[in-house]
Amino acid sequence: MSLNNSSNVFLDSAPSNTNRFQVNVINESHESSVAVNDNTDPPHYEETSFGDEGQNRFRISFRPGNQDRYDNFLQTGETAKTDASFHAYDSHTNTYYLQTFGHNTMDAVPKIEYYRNTGSISGPKVNRPSLLEIHEQLAKNVSVAPGSADVVANGDGMPGDEQAENKEEDQGGVVKFGWVKGVLVRCMLNIWGVMLFIRLSWIVGEAGIGLGVLIILLSTMVTSITGLSTSAIATNGFVRGGGAYYLISRSLGPEFGGSIGLIFAFANAVAVAMYVVGFAETVVDLLKESDSMMVDPTNDIRIIGSITVVLLLGISVAGMEWEAKAQVILLIILLIAIANFFIGTVIPSNNEKKSRGFFNYQASIFAENFGPSFTKGEGFFSVFAIFFPAATGILAGANISGDLEDPQDAIPRGTMLAIFITTVAYIGVAICVGACVVRDATGSMNDTIISGMNCNGSAACGLGYDFSRCQHEPCQYGLMNNFQVMSMVSGFGPLITAGIFSATLSSALASLVSAPKVFQALCKDNIYKALQFFAKGYGKNNEPLRGYFLTFVIAMAFILIAELNTIAPIISNFFLASYALINFSCFHASYAKSPGWRPAYGIYNMWVSLFGAILCCAVMFVINWWAAVITYVIEFFLYIYVTYKKPDVNWGSSTQALSYVSALDNALELTTVEDHVKNFRPQCIVLTGGPMTRPALLDITHAFTKNSGLCICCEVFVGPRKLCVKEMNSGMAKKQAWLIKNKIKAFYAAVAADCFRDGVRSLLQASGLGRMKPNTLVIGYKKNWRKAPLTEIENYVGIIHDAFDFEIGVVIVRISQGFDISQVLQVQDELEKLEQERLALEATIKDNECEEESGGLRGLFKKAGKLNITKPTPRKDSSINTIQSMHVGEINQKLVEASTQFKKKQGKGTIDVWWLFDDGGLTLLIPYILTLRKKWKDCKLRIYVGGKINRIEEEKITMASLLSKFRIKFADIHIIGDINIKPNKESWKFFEEMIEPYRLHESCKDLTTAEKLKRETPWKITDAELEAVKEKSYRQVRLNELLQEHSRAANLIVLSLPVARKGSISDWLYMAWLEILTKNLPPVLLVRGNHKNVLTFYS
């Protein structure tokens, strides 16, 4: 098709030849009305843009000369036609130029609403037209709503989308934060916690400047890798509330997410206590200086900490808006305090500060403090364990992901920048304090060096002070002893105190907010049903008030410990476990190579994330091995619990993606391996129809395929293709879900076909994948074969022939009551509907009784209540007569019981194996596998084989030798030597009477009549056929007599299936053989393998 780009193509309102698809040539300028020269200008293409609803729904681009037509459109308010004159290809009205495409279509243009989840907080989910709606013929009675024809016809979504989309936005008062206020500020405040002012100087004193900076960098490496992993996960889709829990659970699944979610929420709650204790320590030090102690230092910390956490709880409960304002104020104070410290390092020190170890920047002090000087009981990793919680605030922004305007942008940007800024600050403070303050100082201004005194060679000695007595007795000042070094060094001490208050309180406040938010997200997912109580939110921001009070209780408990060094290692382990899983989540998602893993943040590497996860685990054990073990035991216990409970969620985790990749790789790898008889296992196609309609057939098959072979429940839909495909597609997920719910390890497959045999043939050829292809067909015995139409019998016997043609073994299962319980299920469904209607009626009656205070209506319902609605009596005219007679009721009850007989544990008994014909060993292998199952393990195998009467003992020994080589245990072996004798007359007479309706009796008629009957009824059993296979018929009847004699009391009979030679044995005669062979017996499995070995005695 050629495209004419002339500007005049569309100016004629009634062109002589209209194409279905047209290219609308437009001009970019709204005002331009100048004609466009075709020969000089390049072709213009249609531009589609969407404006705000408040202005115009579309921004229109005009063709040259068509602006008047648009102006007329606006003035007259003309819209798309909605009456009978509306035409699918009406391309000559004014509204044609407002459409996305040049013709009307139900196809929808790409819109974000189609890709949202149901219940999305960012807007409603809109369903695009289904493939069926687009593919099928357009219904003639489709009505187009006024004002929406232009929208729907052009594929621009459904009418009213904008109103629904803006509904969430119209709800005023919801507080959302940007990346600075929501992430950067929170992360900086949480990282700059209690350690910065009251522990960093001690860490430098213990580890020295060199190792101190190394500790900071090691912590930063852990947090930076975790930050990169967090950024990658956070930018791989919309992030809701829940922080680390949400990221891990949506990546690795509910098992990992649910286990780490509790630990992470608990860690944040304990972190509140840690920061509050740090604040209380500072206040207690101030009380000591002013001699205003309340009780003693430990109890004063508890008292002050308790009061503080109550006040913080009040701020948190007041709402996120107040909490955010408080955080900004605290950050300003903190920045001023840090600046005050750096300024103080260059202000000349006075004698008092010198006596306390501060000498400004001195190279000798830097050199002396560069190396470590660990005191008794301390080491690199113990000091690292104390410092590491100072770096754990990196998830403070991610933890309130639900309160961020754009979490995908805010979390990476704010988190990584916060890590960089705080690391620079930590290193700067560590170097400065290490270069200015000595490790030990007495605080006495009299400890100056007088001429003639010996100096111990320390940096303080070189600067005129002798602190040598600190080597023999404890001193109160210096990096090793005084936690308030930064306050002493600073230009204005109270500002450092304010900074300590700001750092500790802001970190405590952030943790107090984070813990309930994470816990609420965990509870909302209903992974732990007992915690559902804490999922409820209050107010415009859905505040987790219940979670706040739970966090308060946990924090109070740990505040009572009042020892910061005891709390810190516990926090380290919990946070490190969370970081390890976040890193592993990023690695796992990358390794799974799922197409859905497309993080917008590309600065990450899967192997670096794996290294980060391993590093976190290693650091956990180095810090405190027993705490790490306890952490992993708790996590493992929670993982097992969630796995056992199997929450009904599907988040598209990387675990699912990796499972698929592993299954695909294994399936492909299997194709390179040749089949071996030692690895043979029955892989079955079971013709159950819907799996719930023939449960007994599925149960017996599942008994010998569970955990060892493939089992595919198959259903063939026969009828008009359109209806069959619709019915088939609608039930696929439901029937597979039924298998999963009933813990049956099987697949469900269905096909639509013109006839039953064609459908089964398709399944036999196409089912399976690679080496995992079915090798055995399992079908139920056709109990109603005598009353069934001819085509059904032809199909039934035909699929057995087809299976043998495809070299697939066949198992036919027969039980006395039959398998199909679909009528029982239908009755149960109808009764359930009646019960629901009854309950609904009861509820209506109760509601009306409450609403109606008096009057005839109330009296009417009172009368209805007297009819005993709660226990309705069966009516003769009931739409469902579940029990028309006792006989029918007994049959239904027996059918239900028979359908569950293979679910029950089989007591002590026997499985009788009549291995009459060697089919490769499948007849023997299936009962052997059954004896390995829990329900069948008490049953012993009895083997029956045919033999000669004069060689019974020799053949018994031979068979016993063969079975022992096969390593198959058996209880007894019976050699049947009288199989080929004629059956008794009663049995043979019964067989003849059974086949009588299907015989042709051509020998009793003249030749012409006989030939005519053969042409008219070719399916009937001829006298010639019956005579030719008379010996085989005798055998089937005789075998039933032997089965009645020997195996009537068996739990199960496994019997070699006779094979009907194609073209020689008619379908009705074959069905008669199967009938007489299995009549009046316990459950029977007629088995015939494909005559290839499935057993071997070679190693």
Side-chain angles (χ1 to χ4, degrees), residues 259 316-317 390 744 1040 1071:
S259 59
S316 301
V317 171
I744 296 174
N1040 182 260
M1071 292 304 300

Side-chain angles (χ1 to χ4, degrees), residues 846-1068:
K846 288 180 181 179
D847 291 342
N848 285 319
E849 283 182 347
C850 294
E851 292 175 2
E852 297 292 332
E853 297 180 357
S854 61
L857 186 61
R858 184 180 182 187
L860 176 64
F861 284 118
K862 283 184 177 179
K863 290 179 182 178
K866 295 178 182 179
L867 296 176
N868 193 14
I869 295 175
T870 57
K871 295 181 180 179
T873 57
R875 298 178 300 177
K876 293 182 180 180
D877 60 344
S878 174
S879 60
I880 300 175
N881 288 324
T882 57
I883 304 177
Q884 294 180 347
S885 66
M886 289 300 294
H887 177 65
V888 175
E890 290 173 3
I891 291 176
N892 285 343
Q893 184 62 30
K894 289 180 180 178
L895 186 59
V896 172
E897 290 177 358
S899 69
T900 60
Q901 62 180 307
F902 297 124
K903 293 182 184 293
K904 302 172 184 175
K905 182 175 176 60
Q906 307 294 318
K908 289 185 178 181
T910 63
I911 298 176
D912 288 359
V913 182
W914 290 70
W915 195 17
L916 305 178
F917 309 106
D918 194 332
D919 59 350
L922 186 64
T923 306
L924 189 60
L925 180 62
I926 287 177
Y928 167 72
I929 295 174
L930 285 175
T931 59
L932 302 178
R933 305 306 185 195
K934 189 176 181 181
K935 291 184 176 67
W936 294 88
K937 67 177 182 179
D938 294 331
C939 293
K940 306 298 182 182
L941 291 184
R942 292 194 304 187
I943 312 299
Y944 293 83
V945 294
K948 298 177 182 178
I949 294 178
N950 59 349
R951 288 180 51 85
I952 287 180
E953 288 302 321
E954 291 87 340
E955 293 189 6
K956 188 173 184 179
I957 293 171
T958 302
M959 180 54 61
S961 174
L962 179 61
L963 293 175
S964 64
K965 287 182 178 180
F966 285 150
R967 303 171 302 282
I968 292 179
K969 296 180 180 179
F970 56 91
D972 202 358
I973 296 176
H974 297 270
I975 305 299
I976 308 298
D978 54 350
I979 292 177
N980 290 324
I981 66 173
K982 286 185 180 182
N984 61 50
K985 292 181 180 180
E986 290 80 8
S987 300
W988 181 250
K989 183 180 179 182
F990 177 84
F991 178 76
E992 287 184 322
E993 289 175 351
M994 181 171 59
I995 64 174
E996 180 63 30
Y998 316 108
R999 293 187 61 181
L1000 192 63
H1001 289 293
E1002 79 279 7
S1003 60
C1004 302
K1005 300 175 179 62
D1006 59 83
L1007 187 60
T1008 305
T1009 306
E1011 291 297 327
K1012 181 181 178 183
L1013 287 173
K1014 285 182 181 179
R1015 289 193 301 269
E1016 291 177 352
T1017 56
W1019 51 270
K1020 283 198 171 184
I1021 306 169
T1022 64
D1023 293 340
E1025 176 193 357
L1026 193 60
E1027 185 63 29
V1029 295
K1030 195 169 187 177
E1031 293 298 326
K1032 289 186 178 181
S1033 299
Y1034 280 158
R1035 186 194 306 152
Q1036 314 311 325
V1037 179
R1038 176 58 183 158
L1039 278 173
N1040 182 260
E1041 292 177 352
L1042 293 170
L1043 286 163
Q1044 298 284 351
E1045 178 184 347
H1046 294 281
S1047 300
R1048 190 67 186 267
N1051 294 56
L1052 181 69
I1053 298 173
V1054 181
L1055 176 65
S1056 292
L1057 172 69
V1059 176
R1061 191 177 296 276
K1062 287 195 295 184
S1064 300
I1065 308 298
S1066 62
D1067 296 342
W1068 295 95

